[in-house]
Amino acid sequence: MLTFHSPAKINLFLRILGKRPDGYHELASLFQAIGLMDVLHFSLADEDQLTCTDPLVPTDHSNLIWKAVRLFQSKTSLVFHVKIHLEKNIPMQAGLGGGSSNAATTLWALNILLKTRIPTETLMQWAGQLGSDVPFFFSSGTAYCTGRGEIVQSLAPLSQRNVTIAVPSQGLSTPLVYSRLDLSTLPQRDPLNVLHHFKANPQYFNDLEEAAFRVLPELSVYKHSLLSQGFEMVLLSGSGSSFFCFGSPSLPIKNTKAVHFVQRTEGTWY
Ligand code: C5P
């Protein structure tokens, strides 16, 4: 049996540049992997099986893990069955990329399990067919992502930070948040300029935050309560509904988790 960690991500900044003819949005975002991790166990078997510690996670063909298995099979023309167990720790519909990370981890694991030696660059390209956020997980763990998110430029690690992930009770659907975006109201920041000055002068912003507040107005209240409890900076991750926070609150806050940035070194997984 092979076991791999599958990390969550946050978007330190997320700029939406416009809507494309294919319905996706052109974005520019600084992605960072964090130490909030699912754990996946893989073994070859006589029949396919996916089990999960969380009964709310669908284990049928709709799970991106199966889509990753089918993609790997069609790309390699290999015939096999696999048994997968998912220890779910990353909340769903949270903007933390949990499903995308599980799919990336599955491609990585199958490449080892089947001894196929497919280059990481190729796995990363395949990953784009599974979802916009999936290729990021083949980066160094810190990456500037453009296009619909699938064009990934790995970066050197940023200075380590204590991050708190705060998870509200309600999740958010990514397409719904995008559909409530008002492009005309977004500040016209130049993402490359923000990136180049990020180490000396980090700017944390998320062009999807207002759209998420339109879908779920309670989220704005939740953000302000986190700020009033002592965090210095609170920002929606991806399309939400979770927030990442810097600073230390005066008292412990429920439904939060303290994590660090994590990296991937070449040839190994997280
Ligand atoms: O690529 P993925 O399947 O994760 O995208 C889910 C949905 O999120 C898309 O169908 C689209 O509605 C929205 N999306 C978008 N622009 C992006 C990424 C996602 O509009 N760059």
Side-chain angles (χ1 to χ4, degrees), residues 16 23-27 100 130-133 147-149 174-176 178:
I16 305 288
Y24 282 93
H25 291 78
E26 196 70 19
L27 57 80
S100 301
L130 297 168
S132 307
D133 288 351
R148 58 182 172 86
T174 300
L176 186 59
Y178 271 101

Short mmCIF file of all heavy atoms in Angstrom, two decimals, residues 16 23-27 100 130-133 147-149 174-176 178, ligand 1:
data_model
loop_
_atom_site.label_atom_id
_atom_site.label_comp_id
_atom_site.label_asym_id
_atom_site.label_seq_id
_atom_site.Cartn_x
_atom_site.Cartn_y
_atom_site.Cartn_z
N ILE A 16 -8.93 38.61 -10.79
CA ILE A 16 -9.71 38.13 -11.94
C ILE A 16 -9.63 39.20 -13.02
O ILE A 16 -9.99 40.36 -12.79
CB ILE A 16 -11.19 37.88 -11.57
CG1 ILE A 16 -11.31 36.92 -10.37
CG2 ILE A 16 -11.96 37.33 -12.78
CD1 ILE A 16 -10.97 35.48 -10.62
N GLY A 23 -16.24 30.66 -21.14
CA GLY A 23 -17.01 30.70 -19.88
C GLY A 23 -16.12 30.77 -18.65
O GLY A 23 -16.58 31.14 -17.57
N TYR A 24 -14.85 30.37 -18.78
CA TYR A 24 -13.93 30.48 -17.65
C TYR A 24 -13.47 31.93 -17.49
O TYR A 24 -13.63 32.74 -18.41
CB TYR A 24 -12.69 29.59 -17.88
CG TYR A 24 -12.96 28.13 -17.60
CD1 TYR A 24 -13.36 27.27 -18.63
CD2 TYR A 24 -12.80 27.60 -16.33
CE1 TYR A 24 -13.60 25.93 -18.38
CE2 TYR A 24 -13.04 26.27 -16.07
CZ TYR A 24 -13.44 25.44 -17.10
OH TYR A 24 -13.69 24.11 -16.85
N HIS A 25 -12.89 32.20 -16.34
CA HIS A 25 -12.34 33.54 -16.09
C HIS A 25 -10.82 33.49 -16.14
O HIS A 25 -10.20 32.55 -15.65
CB HIS A 25 -12.82 34.06 -14.74
CG HIS A 25 -14.28 34.38 -14.72
ND1 HIS A 25 -15.24 33.39 -14.62
CD2 HIS A 25 -14.94 35.56 -14.84
CE1 HIS A 25 -16.44 33.96 -14.68
NE2 HIS A 25 -16.28 35.27 -14.81
N GLU A 26 -10.26 34.52 -16.75
CA GLU A 26 -8.81 34.66 -16.81
C GLU A 26 -8.37 35.19 -15.45
O GLU A 26 -8.91 36.20 -14.97
CB GLU A 26 -8.49 35.68 -17.93
CG GLU A 26 -7.07 35.70 -18.40
CD GLU A 26 -6.68 34.45 -19.19
OE1 GLU A 26 -7.56 33.72 -19.69
OE2 GLU A 26 -5.46 34.21 -19.27
N LEU A 27 -7.45 34.49 -14.80
CA LEU A 27 -7.05 34.94 -13.47
C LEU A 27 -5.53 35.01 -13.34
O LEU A 27 -4.78 34.51 -14.20
CB LEU A 27 -7.64 34.03 -12.39
CG LEU A 27 -7.36 32.53 -12.41
CD1 LEU A 27 -5.99 32.21 -11.83
CD2 LEU A 27 -8.42 31.80 -11.59
N SER A 100 -9.28 19.05 -5.74
CA SER A 100 -8.22 19.20 -6.76
C SER A 100 -6.93 18.55 -6.28
O SER A 100 -6.24 17.87 -7.03
CB SER A 100 -7.95 20.68 -7.04
OG SER A 100 -9.13 21.32 -7.49
N LEU A 130 -8.55 17.93 -15.49
CA LEU A 130 -9.41 17.55 -14.36
C LEU A 130 -10.02 18.76 -13.68
O LEU A 130 -11.10 18.67 -13.09
CB LEU A 130 -8.60 16.73 -13.35
CG LEU A 130 -8.08 15.39 -13.87
CD1 LEU A 130 -7.07 14.80 -12.90
CD2 LEU A 130 -9.24 14.42 -14.10
N GLY A 131 -9.33 19.90 -13.74
CA GLY A 131 -9.83 21.12 -13.10
C GLY A 131 -8.75 22.18 -13.10
O GLY A 131 -7.56 21.86 -13.15
N SER A 132 -9.19 23.43 -13.01
CA SER A 132 -8.26 24.55 -13.13
C SER A 132 -7.20 24.57 -12.02
O SER A 132 -6.09 25.05 -12.22
CB SER A 132 -9.04 25.86 -13.09
OG SER A 132 -10.06 25.84 -14.05
N ASP A 133 -7.56 24.09 -10.83
CA ASP A 133 -6.64 24.17 -9.68
C ASP A 133 -5.75 22.93 -9.53
O ASP A 133 -4.87 22.91 -8.66
CB ASP A 133 -7.44 24.29 -8.36
CG ASP A 133 -8.09 25.65 -8.21
OD1 ASP A 133 -7.79 26.55 -9.01
OD2 ASP A 133 -8.89 25.80 -7.27
N GLY A 147 -3.90 32.05 -16.68
CA GLY A 147 -4.87 31.36 -17.54
C GLY A 147 -6.14 31.18 -16.74
O GLY A 147 -6.57 32.08 -16.02
N ARG A 148 -6.72 29.96 -16.79
CA ARG A 148 -7.85 29.71 -15.87
C ARG A 148 -7.35 29.17 -14.54
O ARG A 148 -8.12 28.74 -13.69
CB ARG A 148 -8.90 28.80 -16.52
CG ARG A 148 -8.39 27.46 -16.96
CD ARG A 148 -9.46 26.63 -17.66
NE ARG A 148 -8.87 25.44 -18.23
CZ ARG A 148 -8.67 24.30 -17.58
NH1 ARG A 148 -9.05 24.18 -16.32
NH2 ARG A 148 -8.10 23.28 -18.18
N GLY A 149 -6.02 29.17 -14.37
CA GLY A 149 -5.36 28.70 -13.15
C GLY A 149 -4.36 27.60 -13.46
O GLY A 149 -3.54 27.23 -12.62
N THR A 174 -18.29 26.98 -6.34
CA THR A 174 -17.39 27.83 -7.15
C THR A 174 -18.12 28.49 -8.34
O THR A 174 -18.03 29.71 -8.51
CB THR A 174 -16.17 27.01 -7.62
OG1 THR A 174 -15.49 26.54 -6.47
CG2 THR A 174 -15.22 27.83 -8.47
N PRO A 175 -18.86 27.72 -9.18
CA PRO A 175 -19.53 28.38 -10.32
C PRO A 175 -20.51 29.47 -9.87
O PRO A 175 -20.63 30.50 -10.53
CB PRO A 175 -20.28 27.23 -11.01
CG PRO A 175 -19.63 25.99 -10.53
CD PRO A 175 -19.05 26.27 -9.18
N LEU A 176 -21.18 29.24 -8.74
CA LEU A 176 -22.14 30.23 -8.25
C LEU A 176 -21.42 31.53 -7.88
O LEU A 176 -21.88 32.63 -8.23
CB LEU A 176 -22.90 29.66 -7.04
CG LEU A 176 -24.04 30.50 -6.50
CD1 LEU A 176 -25.10 30.74 -7.58
CD2 LEU A 176 -24.70 29.81 -5.29
N TYR A 178 -18.51 32.63 -9.05
CA TYR A 178 -18.07 33.28 -10.30
C TYR A 178 -19.24 33.99 -10.99
O TYR A 178 -19.07 35.04 -11.58
CB TYR A 178 -17.42 32.26 -11.24
CG TYR A 178 -15.93 32.08 -11.02
CD1 TYR A 178 -15.42 31.01 -10.32
CD2 TYR A 178 -15.02 33.02 -11.54
CE1 TYR A 178 -14.05 30.84 -10.13
CE2 TYR A 178 -13.65 32.86 -11.35
CZ TYR A 178 -13.18 31.77 -10.64
OH TYR A 178 -11.83 31.62 -10.46
O1 C5P B 1 -11.90 24.23 -13.53
P1 C5P B 1 -12.94 23.86 -12.52
O2 C5P B 1 -13.74 22.66 -12.95
O3 C5P B 1 -12.41 23.72 -11.14
O4 C5P B 1 -13.93 25.07 -12.48
C1 C5P B 1 -15.18 24.99 -11.84
C2 C5P B 1 -16.03 26.18 -12.28
O5 C5P B 1 -15.49 27.39 -11.73
C3 C5P B 1 -16.08 26.43 -13.77
O6 C5P B 1 -17.08 25.68 -14.38
C4 C5P B 1 -16.36 27.91 -13.82
O7 C5P B 1 -17.73 28.17 -13.57
C5 C5P B 1 -15.60 28.46 -12.64
N1 C5P B 1 -14.24 28.93 -13.00
C6 C5P B 1 -14.11 30.08 -13.75
N2 C5P B 1 -12.85 30.53 -14.07
C7 C5P B 1 -11.76 29.87 -13.63
C8 C5P B 1 -11.87 28.70 -12.86
C9 C5P B 1 -13.14 28.26 -12.55
O8 C5P B 1 -15.10 30.70 -14.16
N3 C5P B 1 -10.55 30.36 -13.93
#
